[in-house]
Amino acid sequence: MKKLMLIIAVALIWSCKEENKKPDESSMAKQIKSYTIEQMMDNESIGGGSFSSDNSKLLISSNRSGIYNMYTIPTDGGEMMPVTQSDSSSVFAISYFPRDERMLFRMDGNGDEIYHIYIRNLNGSFTDLTPTEGARAGFHSWAEDKKSFFFTSNKRDSRFMDLYQMDFLNYSPKLIYQNDEGYDIGDLSDNEKYLSLSKSINTNDSDLFLYDLQTKTQTQINTEQSANSSQDFAPDNSALYYTTDLGNEFSYLMKYDISTEERTKVMERDWDIMGSYFTENGTYQVTYINEDAKNTIEVKETETGENIALPSFPNMAITNVGFSDDEKWMRFYAGGSQTPSNLYVYNLETKETKQLTNVLNPEIAQEDLVTAEVIRYKSFDGLEIPAIYYKPKQASANSKVPALVWVHGGPGGQSRQNFSSFIQYLVNHGYAVLAVNNRGSSGYGKSFYKMDDLNHGDKDLKDCVEGKNWLAAQPEIDAEKIGIIGGSYGGYMTMAALTYTPEEFAVGVNLFGVTNWIRTLRSIPPWWESFKEALYLELGNPNSADSVRLKEISPLFHTDKVTKPLIVLQGSKDPRVLQVESDEIVAGVRKNGVPVEYVLFEDEGHGFVKKENQIEAYSRVLQFLDVYLKGDKGTPIKDGEPMESDI
């Protein structure tokens, strides 16, 4: 959610001082230790952080077992204790119960995204609270009296999420709001009278509504088309806070007074305000800003209107915060592009900070990891494109390295200044990475975001090509050895690059990428129904005349143009990009006699979360790059030769 850069080892610097001469660049390169994929993936990933009712523990998720499970960790320091021990489906912690040691968590079926809500009972047993087969459920909020919680579910209609309330006595759900019109469920006021709803217009804009659960009446909050998003109700239930970009490139925070219907701007920054909420008793208001692809967090004391001072760390930033119900404690994560985020607690009364975790594998030296640099370059039409550059420490004009253009998912996603074990693994092994935020990316204003509408695989692809050209102009890059890599929409861009600009990139790495837009848009999960028309407006309607253009930009129908080596990775449980997308692109490209490798995981969905699968996937990518991009001597895998995880 970011920054230490050591050029060479201390011993080498001392030696050079002694000899009173500059170190040889080839000697510098030898000082960088090379790490295995097992070592790099042994960096622990943790998330969440719900305080127990007495503030003595936090409930978190961690992948230390090789798969995400639920753990508790003492707030005064100590060992994490496992609560679940799943060896198949990932377990993600939701929250402690407000007044006892019961816990809520969620699981899906190996990446199928059909989540159920479970309870860990006081006796240690587990119960599925939302057992309807094929129905998806999501935790919403605790009731103000702490005797029930609210959740959303599409069990009534697979297309739409309704709002339910579940009591703590017999765990029987009660329908609170039946969502017949395909709204997105927003926030619920503490007095349970008001519910915010939104309706997508396109992938940027949405209408925002205030629904009165008592009178069954509805009021539209926004007066003009814009991007509107509910954030939180005022602690006294008098107002709704929301973000909008009305008349502006970036989202800012507004307050809607429910009784007077007055709208007031309360906060604006130079970047998008991504979120804002009040702590349990309304003492603080927490606001997240997306500042040039990293989080900036402001915590305001509501009584004074002043921001409180947060702990600071050299070369790191606070990426996420959460508060105890009594508002005496704050837990937070701090990290950077060169270090995974650790969990801390901060006592708001004593101002003491305590680090609870150390997630970097102790076998990895911090100084061997690379700090990302935000750069900008001009695209083919003069548009400035932001990107994040990871330069290997061993790279220099005398020791050139191959490089990869990295394309994020979406299409409206954003590459951010966060830690990535996969990227650090590639960089550690001598590959520069340029994570491009091509036109259509979020975070750089709504005009930039909309620039790829109905133009995918064209100007956004040209932005990636210009990213390659920027890399080629860097003295430390081997201009003849630049490939392209991406997941989801980034996987589509990888295939589009190999198909429509076949001479630009030396290789392609496609992670679960779309290859047939007509099929993908017709087979989106049912719970995306409320967003479907907005997707069609941006990408095209596969059931209309747009299908002609969609076929033109779908790499599957043009595989004869692919001439460069390709590796494809896919999860068979993926509900967004179906396995058939990868099956068919692999078969089509192999007909050209082009080297193609295919890695399929039967127990993964849209992205790989199990460590053993990450290790195989990323080691296979490096092996592929070493053979076909770096050109290391070895035995390349023959086209069609079966591998352990191939089809």
Side-chain angles (χ1 to χ4, degrees):
M1 6 233 258
K2 281 178 170 181
K3 312 247 173 116
L4 181 62
M5 178 72 83
L6 297 179
I7 304 301
I8 51 176
V10 173
L12 181 59
I13 296 176
W14 178 256
S15 173
C16 295
K17 286 181 178 179
E18 288 292 300
E19 297 177 19
N20 195 28
K21 64 180 182 180
K22 291 180 66 177
D24 179 69
E25 288 180 325
S26 62
S27 177
M28 291 170 64
K30 295 177 183 177
Q31 301 303 309
I32 306 303
K33 182 178 178 180
S34 178
Y35 296 101
T36 66
I37 185 60
E38 288 82 7
Q39 288 175 307
M40 197 63 79
M41 296 315 299
D42 206 29
N43 296 318
E44 188 176 355
S45 177
I46 56 176
S50 166
F51 283 92
S52 59
S53 58
D54 62 358
N55 297 334
S56 66
K57 299 185 290 293
L58 285 168
L59 184 66
I60 63 174
S61 306
S62 167
N63 69 344
R64 63 166 44 183
S65 69
I67 186 173
Y68 281 97
N69 271 288
M70 187 163 62
Y71 296 79
T72 62
I73 186 168
T75 52
D76 60 358
E79 290 298 314
M80 289 167 50
M81 297 299 294
V83 180
T84 61
Q85 296 179 322
S86 174
D87 59 3
S88 55
S89 295
S90 292
V91 175
F92 296 100
I94 295 175
S95 177
Y96 271 111
F97 271 56
R99 291 173 179 164
D100 60 48
E101 296 280 296
R102 285 175 290 179
M103 306 167 186
L104 289 182
F105 63 95
R106 65 186 177 100
M107 292 192 333
D108 71 349
N110 283 318
D112 65 4
E113 301 184 18
I114 301 176
Y115 286 99
H116 286 203
I117 299 173
Y118 295 80
I119 182 174
R120 195 262 193 182
N121 299 295
L122 293 176
N123 64 6
S125 64
F126 303 104
T127 306
D128 185 352
L129 298 179
T130 57
T132 304
E133 185 175 355
R136 174 181 165 99
F139 179 80
H140 184 276
S141 57
W142 297 106
E144 179 68 7
D145 63 7
K146 311 304 181 188
K147 295 179 180 179
S148 63
F149 70 88
F150 298 92
F151 69 98
T152 58
S153 173
N154 65 345
K155 68 176 183 176
R156 180 189 60 84
D157 185 330
S158 63
R159 300 172 301 164
F160 305 135
M161 304 297 284
D162 297 326
L163 183 66
Y164 295 84
Q165 186 173 19
M166 184 172 288
D167 66 75
F168 293 172
L169 295 177
N170 54 19
Y171 302 113
S172 59
K174 173 186 175 184
L175 181 64
I176 298 298
Y177 176 75
Q178 183 167 312
N179 185 14
D180 293 320
E181 303 300 324
Y183 291 105
D184 291 316
I185 304 293
D187 297 288
L188 182 67
S189 60
D190 285 346
N191 61 8
E192 299 174 18
K193 181 179 180 182
Y194 300 110
L195 177 68
S196 62
L197 304 168
S198 62
K199 185 80 167 179
S200 296
I201 301 171
N202 53 47
T203 53
N204 183 75
D205 300 333
S206 59
D207 289 330
L208 182 62
F209 303 90
L210 182 71
Y211 183 78
D212 190 318
L213 288 163
Q214 295 177 0
T215 66
K216 312 299 183 187
T217 57
Q218 187 166 296
T219 304
Q220 185 165 339
I221 304 298
N222 60 298
T223 56
E224 299 179 40
Q225 182 171 324
S226 48
N228 299 282
S229 178
S230 175
Q231 298 303 324
D232 201 2
F233 283 92
D236 63 0
N237 306 297
S238 65
L240 174 67
Y241 286 76
Y242 66 100
T243 54
T244 183
D245 64 3
L246 179 63
N248 200 8
E249 279 295 317
F250 295 94
S251 292
Y252 51 93
L253 189 63
M254 293 284 291
K255 175 183 177 181
Y256 174 79
D257 188 292
I258 295 175
S259 61
T260 67
E261 299 186 352
E262 182 181 2
R263 298 160 179 83
T264 307
K265 183 185 291 187
V266 295
M267 183 184 292
E268 184 175 11
R269 298 294 181 262
D270 293 334
W271 300 87
D272 280 323
I273 292 179
M274 297 188 299
S276 187
Y277 69 90
F278 291 95
T279 54
E280 180 67 22
N281 301 314
T283 303
Y284 304 103
Q285 185 176 18
V286 181
T287 302
Y288 290 81
I289 299 104
N290 180 4
E291 184 177 336
D292 212 9
K294 68 176 181 180
N295 282 357
T296 297
I297 299 174
E298 297 183 14
V299 179
K300 182 176 70 175
E301 193 172 38
T302 56
E303 184 176 341
T304 65
E306 298 296 323
N307 289 340
I308 67 171
L310 298 177
S312 61
F313 303 87
N315 306 307
M316 292 194 300
I318 294 178
T319 58
N320 183 277
V321 301
F323 286 75
S324 60
D325 281 354
D326 62 10
E327 300 175 330
K328 294 180 180 179
W329 290 87
M330 180 180 79
R331 62 89 181 146
F332 65 91
Y333 287 90
S337 61
Q338 85 294 351
T339 181
S341 292
N342 275 302
L343 177 63
Y344 299 76
V345 287
Y346 176 65
N347 187 305
L348 289 146
E349 296 178 338
T350 66
K351 311 303 181 188
E352 294 179 354
T353 299
K354 187 171 189 64
Q355 182 175 339
L356 300 183
T357 64
N358 189 5
V359 296
L360 181 66
N361 181 358
E363 295 179 3
I364 296 176
Q366 179 69 71
E367 59 267 24
D368 288 337
L369 299 177
V370 170
T371 300
E373 175 190 1
V374 175
I375 65 99
R376 285 171 165 80
Y377 62 87
K378 297 290 186 180
S379 193
F380 68 98
D381 57 357
L383 182 68
E384 187 176 76
I385 304 298
I388 301 171
Y389 185 42
Y390 299 81
K391 176 184 172 182
K393 291 178 180 285
Q394 59 267 48
S396 69
N398 293 333
S399 181
K400 294 180 183 291
V401 297
L404 293 164
V405 169
W406 179 289
V407 192
H408 60 67
Q414 182 187 34
S415 284
R416 311 199 71 210
Q417 298 182 60
N418 298 333
F419 182 82
S420 166
S421 290
F422 185 20
I423 289 179
Q424 291 288 347
Y425 175 60
L426 294 173
V427 175
N428 176 252
H429 284 263
Y431 292 90
V433 174
L434 183 69
V436 171
N437 281 312
N438 51 270
R439 69 190 70 201
S441 302
S442 58
Y444 305 99
K446 63 184 178 185
S447 296
F448 190 86
Y449 180 80
K450 294 178 179 180
M451 281 183 178
D452 67 344
D453 288 5
L454 298 177
N455 189 248
H456 302 87
D458 182 10
K459 292 179 181 178
D460 53 357
L461 176 56
K462 292 175 183 175
D463 294 339
C464 296
V465 171
E466 290 303 324
K468 185 213 77 167
N469 293 337
W470 182 89
L471 280 168
Q474 305 311 303
E476 68 273 10
I477 300 299
D478 186 336
E480 300 301 314
K481 296 181 178 181
I482 302 176
I484 185 168
I485 181 173
S488 191
Y489 186 79
Y492 161 70
M493 292 289 280
T494 294
M495 293 313 310
L498 296 190
T499 302
Y500 305 116
T501 59
E503 299 307 315
E504 293 289 351
F505 296 94
V507 299
V509 180
N510 166 15
L511 295 97
F512 41 90
V514 176
T515 60
N516 180 348
W517 279 112
I518 297 173
R519 175 171 51 213
T520 293
L521 290 171
R522 285 176 177 169
S523 61
I524 61 175
W527 55 86
W528 282 20
E529 182 69 23
S530 64
F531 195 59
K532 184 173 72 174
E533 292 303 321
L535 277 177
Y536 286 178
L537 285 174
E538 174 171 345
L539 292 160
N541 187 334
N543 305 310
S544 72
D546 291 343
S547 62
V548 175
R549 186 187 63 83
L550 289 171
K551 186 172 182 179
E552 288 177 353
I553 67 169
S554 295
L556 179 63
F557 302 108
H558 312 281
T559 54
D560 59 301
K561 295 182 172 64
V562 179
T563 60
K564 300 299 173 61
L566 168 68
I567 184 171
V568 178
L569 301 97
Q570 175 74 40
S572 67
K573 302 288 187 182
D574 194 333
R576 307 185 191 193
V577 179
L578 303 181
Q579 179 187 326
V580 66
E581 296 276 314
S582 293
D583 292 349
E584 292 184 355
I585 200 71
V586 166
V589 175
R590 277 178 173 166
K591 291 178 181 178
N592 300 340
V594 174
V596 182
E597 296 179 30
Y598 190 16
V599 186
L600 178 69
F601 297 103
E602 299 289 348
D603 55 351
E604 296 282 10
H606 199 67
F608 312 138
V609 297
K610 297 179 174 67
K611 274 191 181 181
E612 96 179 289
N613 292 340
Q614 292 173 336
I615 287 170
E616 180 176 356
Y618 304 153
S619 63
R620 289 285 296 275
V621 169
L622 183 68
Q623 177 190 8
F624 169 85
L625 294 173
D626 283 348
V627 172
Y628 294 110
L629 186 58
K630 187 179 287 185
D632 284 356
K633 299 299 182 182
T635 304
I637 300 168
K638 297 177 182 178
D639 178 34
E641 182 178 333
M643 292 289 288
E644 182 178 344
S645 57
D646 276 349
I647 275 189

